[in-house]
């Protein structure tokens, strides 16, 4: 087999193990959401097919969740070609075409985790909107298809904007809009997208906006795995490839003039986010470490020769998070387990895995949404997977 094809298939295997969007949760005790296709001609997937969103009406008309799905990204022609070849994706085993096209989107989508309507769920009574991810740009891009992109469209920004415009027209356009609370967030790539869009969404809408950012953090560290390019270099390439200039933000752009890619990278962007948010971040993030540490394309077991690197990484994340939140109004919060995990808000782990404070992510979100304060629920132990809930 030709070497370039082998490399492309290897990249596909990497992406296939991503924490991705899925409608494959068991319908038992799941929230069943229904697909609506968008009509905005610019709100399209990579292949130009019309994007959409899933919706489930809640019992509290004043509370909403708008959630951006995750699933990695691509950052050049080769990585996009690999993405299109995905045999299976994420916890649902979906064909990779669902991350580049809406042609096979299912008409209904059973969801658990943050979408749960069971007793004790943080947003049980909320109206819920789930934006599936078919733009491969972490919801940040705004680049039309062309010969230079092999015909691929990167319209993540446009898709999110079109969904919000439709919700505003149908549900939030009345005089009582200011009494509505909308939790705007996402997980993994969706969390990174929500991070960059949060302030502009809050500025544009009349409703009260709170952010929920799950696993949006990457740290700019040298990779232990010499075969991996590093997340900083990858992000710089993606910034240019999908054209994410519109989500830079004025203050962050001034700080990193000439290196604006840093404004879509969690470590550098988060100090500039002004809208109140709850951020959740693992101190041993399994997505970052599987690349920075491991050579295993389908998983990651931390080897003994990499344990010192891993422990150092965990301490760096912990120290960073202990300085949060930087928002001066004191209404933002951070939640962190000293565990090896990533993006739990779309799974049952959202309600079952706790940190050393005895709090699950569901507990943290429930407390914070009801009373936004500067909580710092961060595990402070030292050592790989030292958290009480690991």
């Amino acid at each position: 087999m030709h070497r370039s094809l082998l490399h492309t298939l290897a990249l596909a295997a990497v992406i296939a193990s991503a924490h991705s969007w899925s409608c494959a949760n068991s319908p038992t005790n799941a929230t069943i959401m229904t697909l609506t296709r968008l009509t905005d001609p610019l709100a399209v997937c990579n292949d130009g097919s019309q994007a959409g969103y899933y919706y489930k009406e809640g019992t509290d008309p004043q509370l909403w969740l708008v959630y951006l799905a995750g699933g990695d990204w691509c950052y050049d022609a080769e990585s996009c070609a690999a993405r299109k070849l995905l045999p299976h994706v994420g916890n649902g085993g979906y064909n990779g075409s669902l991350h580049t096209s809406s042609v096979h989107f299912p008409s209904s989508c059973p969801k658990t985790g943050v979408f749960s309507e069971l007793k004790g769920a943080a947003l049980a009574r909320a109206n819920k909107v789930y934006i599936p991810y078919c733009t491969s740009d972490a919801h940040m891009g705004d680049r039309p298809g062309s010969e230079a992109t092999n015909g691929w469209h990167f319209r993540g920004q446009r898709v999110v904007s079109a969904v919000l415009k439709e919700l505003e027209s149908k549900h939030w356009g009345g005089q009582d809009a200011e009494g509505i609370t909308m939790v705007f967030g996402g997980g993994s790539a969706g969390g990174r997208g929500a991070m960059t869009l949060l302030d502009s969404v809050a500025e544009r809408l009349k409703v009260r906006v709170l952010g929920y950012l799950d696993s949006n953090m990457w740290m700019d560290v040298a990779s232990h795995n010499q075969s991996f390019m590093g997340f900083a270099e990858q992000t710089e390439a993606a910034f240019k490839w999908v054209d994410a200039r519109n989500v830079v933000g004025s203050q962050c752009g001034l700080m990193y003039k000439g290196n604006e890619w840093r404004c879509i990278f969690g470590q550098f962007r988060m100090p500039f986010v002004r809208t109140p948010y709850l951020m959740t971040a693992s101190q041993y993030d399994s997505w970052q470490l599987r690349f920075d540490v491991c050579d295993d394309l389908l998983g990651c077991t931390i080897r003994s020769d990499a344990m010192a690197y891993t422990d150092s990484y965990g301490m760096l994340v912990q120290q960073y998070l202990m300085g949060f939140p930087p928002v001066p109004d004191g209404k933002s919060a951070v939640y962190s387990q000293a565990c090896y995990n990533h993006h739990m808000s779309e799974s049952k782990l959202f309600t079952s895995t706790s940190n050393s404070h005895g709090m699950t992510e569901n507990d943290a979100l429930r407390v914070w949404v009801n009373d936004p304060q500067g909580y710092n629920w961060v595990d402070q132990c030292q050592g790989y997977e030292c958290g009480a809930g690991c």
Side-chain angles (χ1 to χ4, degrees):
M1 187 178 294
H2 194 275
R3 180 172 180 174
S4 63
L5 178 58
L6 282 172
H7 184 59
T8 297
L9 291 172
L11 279 171
V14 172
I15 303 171
S17 57
H19 293 254
S20 316
W21 84 269
S22 167
C23 290
N25 293 131
S26 169
T28 304
N29 294 326
T31 300
I32 309 299
M33 310 180 73
T34 303
L35 178 65
T36 296
R37 293 194 181 273
L38 296 166
T39 58
D40 184 329
L42 296 180
V44 296
C45 303
N46 292 134
D47 67 345
S49 59
Q50 206 68 52
Y53 64 94
Y54 291 92
Y55 171 66
K56 175 63 163 59
E57 184 177 6
T59 58
D60 183 352
Q62 302 297 98
L63 183 61
W64 287 75
L65 169 67
V66 176
Y67 187 100
L68 312 185
D72 201 26
W73 59 8
C74 58
Y75 47 87
D76 57 20
E78 184 177 21
S79 62
C80 289
R83 187 174 180 82
K84 192 173 182 178
L85 292 175
L86 290 175
H88 295 88
V89 174
N91 62 345
Y94 270 146
N95 187 287
S97 64
L98 273 76
H99 283 64
T100 60
S101 173
S102 68
V103 172
H104 300 296
F105 278 9
S107 59
S108 63
C109 187
K111 297 299 298 179
T112 56
V114 71
F115 298 93
S116 175
E117 296 178 321
L118 299 179
K119 183 179 179 180
L123 301 175
R125 301 180 64 231
N127 303 275
K128 298 175 177 68
V129 175
Y130 184 52
I131 304 180
Y133 179 38
C134 63
T135 55
S136 305
D137 57 3
H139 308 273
M140 304 178 197
D142 193 16
R143 185 179 186 183
S146 67
E147 184 177 352
T149 65
N150 295 323
W152 281 50
H153 303 259
F154 299 97
R155 294 294 201 179
Q157 290 179 51
R158 301 278 185 166
V159 172
V160 175
S161 178
V163 172
L164 294 176
K165 284 181 180 178
E166 187 160 312
L167 294 175
E168 190 172 31
S169 173
K170 291 182 177 180
H171 305 284
W172 305 335
Q175 294 181 347
D176 60 345
E178 293 182 359
I180 294 173
T181 295
M182 189 264 280
V183 179
F184 178 77
S188 195
R192 291 185 281 121
M195 170 186 71
T196 63
L197 296 170
L198 180 58
D199 285 341
S200 62
V201 167
E203 290 169 3
R204 175 189 142 194
L205 297 177
K206 294 180 180 179
V207 302
R208 175 190 184 222
V209 176
L210 299 174
Y212 172 52
L213 312 176
D214 177 17
S215 302
N216 60 297
M217 282 296 301
W218 281 348
M219 301 298 290
D220 184 10
V221 294
S223 179
H224 179 80
N225 172 15
Q226 297 301 309
S227 64
F228 177 55
M229 67 192 302
F231 282 105
E233 183 178 343
Q234 185 185 100
T235 300
E236 185 173 8
F239 179 82
K240 298 174 183 177
W241 180 249
V242 307
D243 191 359
R245 289 175 295 175
N246 289 342
V247 301
V248 165
S250 58
Q251 294 301 312
C252 187
L254 287 173
M255 174 64 74
Y256 296 117
K257 188 174 178 60
N259 289 292
E260 287 86 356
W261 64 267
R262 291 188 172 191
C263 297
I264 66 170
F265 195 97
Q267 177 183 353
F268 304 116
R269 179 57 178 263
M270 283 307 300
F272 294 93
V273 178
R274 304 334 263 168
T275 305
Y277 60 80
L278 169 64
M279 181 176 72
T280 66
S282 171
Q283 292 171 36
Y284 299 94
D285 183 84
S286 60
W287 183 248
Q288 176 149 12
L289 289 178
R290 73 185 307 148
F291 292 100
D292 277 339
V293 171
C294 297
D295 291 314
D296 187 345
L297 297 178
L298 298 179
C300 184
T301 299
I302 306 298
R303 305 181 305 271
S304 58
D305 66 311
M307 193 56 68
Y309 173 93
T310 302
D311 286 343
S312 177
Y313 172 85
M315 285 300 300
L316 178 66
V317 175
Q318 183 184 115
Q319 291 168 8
Y320 182 87
L321 296 176
M322 288 303 296
F324 267 73
V327 176
D329 63 11
K331 292 184 178 181
S332 293
V334 62
Y335 173 95
S336 176
Q337 299 177 7
C339 300
Y340 179 77
N341 56 39
H342 177 80
H343 185 193
M344 296 192 294
S345 55
E346 291 191 56
S347 76
K348 293 180 179 179
L349 294 175
F350 178 71
T351 58
S352 63
T353 304
S354 61
N355 68 358
S356 299
H357 297 261
M359 303 276 289
T360 64
E361 284 193 20
N362 178 71
D363 295 332
L365 183 60
R366 183 180 62 248
V367 170
W368 180 76
V369 167
N370 289 328
D371 183 22
Q373 293 188 34
Y375 302 106
N376 191 286
W377 294 301
V378 177
D379 280 352
Q380 298 183 47
C381 58
Q382 298 183 18
Y384 178 61
E385 289 222 288
C386 61
C390 300

